[in-house]
Amino acid sequence: MALTSSCADETLIAEVAALVVSALNLEISPAAIAPDEPLFGDGLGLDSIDILEVALVVSKRYGFSLRADNEDNLKIFASLRSLADHVAANRGQ
Amino acid sequence: MSVLPLLAHSNADDIVARRGGESISLARFLVDVGRVMAVLPPCRHVLNLCADRYRFAVGLAASMASQRVSLLPSTHTLETLRQMAAFAPDCHILTDADPGQYPLPAVVFPPADEAMPSAVCPAVPRLDARQHVAWVFTSGSTGLPVPHRKSWGRLVTSVRATAAALGIDPTRPPTLVGTVPPQHMFGFESTVLLAWLGGGAFDASRPFYPADIVATLGRVPDAVLVTTPFHLRTLLDADLPLPGLEFVLSATAPLPTELARRAEAAFQAPLFEIYGSTETGQVATRRSATSAAWTLTRDVRLSIRDGQGWIEGDDMDAPIALADVIDVVGERQFTLVGRNADIINIAGKRTSLDYLDRQLAAIDGVRDGAFHLPDGGRDDSHITRLAAFVVAPGLDAASLRAALRERIDPAFMPRPLILLDALPRNATGKLPYANREALLAAHRAQDRMDTPEDVRLPSRPGESRITIAANHPAFAGHFPGRPIVPGVVLLDEAAGALALALGLDEPCWHLGSVKFIRAVGPGANMYLKWQQSGASGAIAFTLADDDGVIASGSLTPGGAQTP
């Protein structure tokens, strides 16, 4: 991945991980989510219900609405890093 | 013999669908149906997995016009696809995704033909009402999907009645925007068939994020939102500016009145709920903001026998048992009282604990296992996830989850998945509700932020048993002929058992709250489970038996405690 201004730093990754864990009441520590593991399916095992719940919390916290625009709905949630990158690129300045 | 057209539209330029702001005419649709018929292999059964609603509809129409039967299972896990192949070995998948990912032969939806359809519009297919159009599957209780036969006539009866009840006006056709997939019974009937038979259109997309739903609703004329309580709640909670709609349609789980009112105010439109099931089709509607009662949309009869609600009609082969407990409140009206114990509904997806238990048991290496819907999981406003207890020496949580994911819908994946050395089954081999709640409470109490989920617990959790003697003095004078245990006695017994278990010497209890949920009689055999909060010392307790919760509340010990 290219290093651009939209890449999330470790602080933001940890912050988003904490948000995911608290939004879904997961019984794991935020630090236990590997940044590049898939969040849904075989990885953390999230599904589309979780993703809508996290999307809501992310939009409230960072002040922007998630959009898929006919792309794969789950692309933003491919991994913790992709979600944090999406937040870094879209959050209110 | 009755013959029914595929759709109500008749002019070549009538709009049947929209995609990204573009309109798709009847002529274009019928040409596309012909193109798909040309690529379908010589098979009798089609498993139509097209994610795009327009392509799904074209594939369905092509299957119907060529006397093929569509298979509509309730989920598309690997195991379900294998079960479909076993059910109909000739079955082919029709897909608009990568065909290599399936364990069955798959045909790709042909690429779009941009050429304008010729001036001659193909004829609208007309089908014998008795033509077998689809097998729709429910999860059943045997572990195998249960097929339900749908003829074109029965689908038309169900959906035309809904269209009439909703007042859909073919001279002012709405565009239906669905957040539900066309393959599930509600989305199948309420987006594709409702547009076909009501003379309207549907949007080809299935918008997911709230902002995508709002954008889609905003770009189609006379928009109708077809959704579920879960999607509706997340949409309203997003606090986005919402467009006015013709109406909102919700199904799959009962919608709380408060949410219905919020939706009506937000969209400046009525919200209707649809009541139906895979077995019965759509049978009733209600305007949820103003009515708790459902009104039947078609000529069916309701009855209650031995507490079980039944529905029967000329378009059903036999009376069908309802999954919900109902109360008949008028000649053509009923209310929902509750749900049958074994049926569970997670974010609008239905299955039974029996079915899930059998899926678990079918995994290699699983010796014993049970799913559990935690207390509080019958409230539709929050998504409560299932838990599962599994005895599988030699399997770790990750491989168990991978095996389960092949078999069950993601919505039913257990969270937590608790590995045990044995399950505390009772003498009859059952794992009663109270035992499952106690297992879960023990797991949660032990759980710490850094503890992995698959930590192995001792096989016997802490719990107390309470039996109320049949000759307890409290029965004298209470409801002669039908003795029940007074609430104060239940509370007394619970406090006594707690003091004993926690080593407290006649503490002075402060009662925080108590709810008596169900009456029990003499000789009642109950389980008490509890959890003490570290901060306040308050003890949350639940009294339950094999049939569920009897009472719950909170007690705080004070006064004469042992040091």
Side-chain angles (χ1 to χ4, degrees), chain B residues 264-308:
Chain B
E264 290 209 345
F267 291 111
Q268 293 295 298
L271 177 145
F272 300 102
E273 275 186 279
I274 294 187
Y275 185 84
S277 66
T278 300
E279 295 88 331
T280 59
Q282 303 184 333
V283 293
T285 60
R286 68 174 175 183
R287 183 167 175 185
S288 324
T290 54
S291 170
W294 298 83
T295 303
L296 294 173
T297 51
R298 44 188 251 243
D299 190 19
V300 291
R301 293 172 296 284
L302 293 171
S303 58
I304 299 174
R305 293 197 296 274
D306 304 325
Q308 170 69 58

Side-chain angles (χ1 to χ4, degrees), chain B residues 401-414:
Chain B
R401 282 202 192 88
L404 265 179
R405 203 169 284 118
E406 283 194 9
R407 297 181 157 268
I408 64 175
D409 192 280
F412 306 129
M413 284 295 288

Side-chain angles (χ1 to χ4, degrees), chain A residues 4-78:
Chain A
T4 67
S5 60
S6 71
C7 274
D9 57 21
E10 294 306 313
T11 316
L12 183 61
I13 288 177
E15 192 179 299
V16 173
L19 209 61
V20 170
V21 167
S22 77
L24 302 177
N25 204 12
L26 297 179
E27 295 182 329
I28 58 166
S29 138
I33 304 178
D36 297 301
E37 288 277 294
L39 284 177
F40 50 88
D42 291 334
L44 194 55
L46 305 191
D47 62 10
S48 66
I49 300 167
D50 297 314
I51 287 171
L52 278 179
E53 294 192 309
V54 174
L56 194 61
V57 176
V58 164
S59 69
K60 301 276 179 200
R61 173 73 168 266
Y62 298 107
F64 73 96
S65 294
L66 278 77
R67 293 284 302 263
D69 283 326
N70 301 321
E71 294 248 359
D72 180 358
N73 294 331
L74 307 180
K75 204 169 145 188
I76 300 166
F77 284 81

Side-chain angles (χ1 to χ4, degrees), chain B residues 139-159:
Chain B
S139 53
S141 59
T142 61
L144 284 175
V146 179
H148 303 278
R149 190 180 192 278
K150 297 293 172 188
S151 68
W152 181 231
R154 287 184 183 181
L155 289 170
V156 169
T157 302
S158 161
V159 175

Side-chain angles (χ1 to χ4, degrees), chain B residues 81-155:
Chain B
L81 298 184
R82 290 188 198 113
Q83 286 166 336
M84 291 300 110
F87 178 81
D90 66 292
C91 169
H92 277 65
I93 286 175
L94 178 66
T95 180
D96 52 2
D98 168 19
Q101 62 180 309
Y102 305 115
L104 276 71
V107 183
V108 179
F109 193 94
D113 177 3
E114 298 303 335
M116 278 303 291
S118 64
V120 184
C121 178
V124 170
R126 297 172 64 80
L127 283 75
D128 186 323
R130 293 166 307 184
Q131 183 180 325
H132 181 193
V133 165
W135 286 112
V136 188
F137 294 83
T138 50
S139 53
S141 59
T142 61
L144 284 175
V146 179
H148 303 278
R149 190 180 192 278
K150 297 293 172 188
S151 68
W152 181 231
R154 287 184 183 181
L155 289 170

Side-chain angles (χ1 to χ4, degrees), chain B residues 197-279:
Chain B
L197 299 170
F202 55 80
D203 195 88
S205 70
R206 183 187 164 203
F208 180 73
Y209 294 110
D212 292 323
I213 299 172
V214 170
T216 309
L217 291 172
R219 72 168 173 248
V220 303
D222 304 308
V224 168
L225 174 62
V226 182
T227 192
T228 69
F230 172 65
H231 288 141
L232 188 59
R233 184 177 292 278
T234 47
L235 176 56
L236 294 177
D237 284 350
D239 292 324
L240 297 167
L242 299 171
L245 301 179
E246 291 298 296
F247 59 88
V248 179
L249 217 50
S250 173
T252 70
L255 192 65
T257 311
E258 151 273 331
L259 192 55
R261 291 190 177 142
R262 258 177 83 194
E264 290 209 345
F267 291 111
Q268 293 295 298
L271 177 145
F272 300 102
E273 275 186 279
I274 294 187
Y275 185 84
S277 66
T278 300
E279 295 88 331

Side-chain angles (χ1 to χ4, degrees), chain B residues 436-458:
Chain B
R436 285 179 274 137
E437 275 288 276
L439 278 176
L440 186 60
H443 168 76
R444 295 223 160 112
Q446 184 170 331
D447 196 48
R448 294 289 176 271
M449 281 308 265
D450 287 308
T451 308
E453 233 179 82
D454 55 343
V455 112
R456 281 170 196 271
L457 294 171

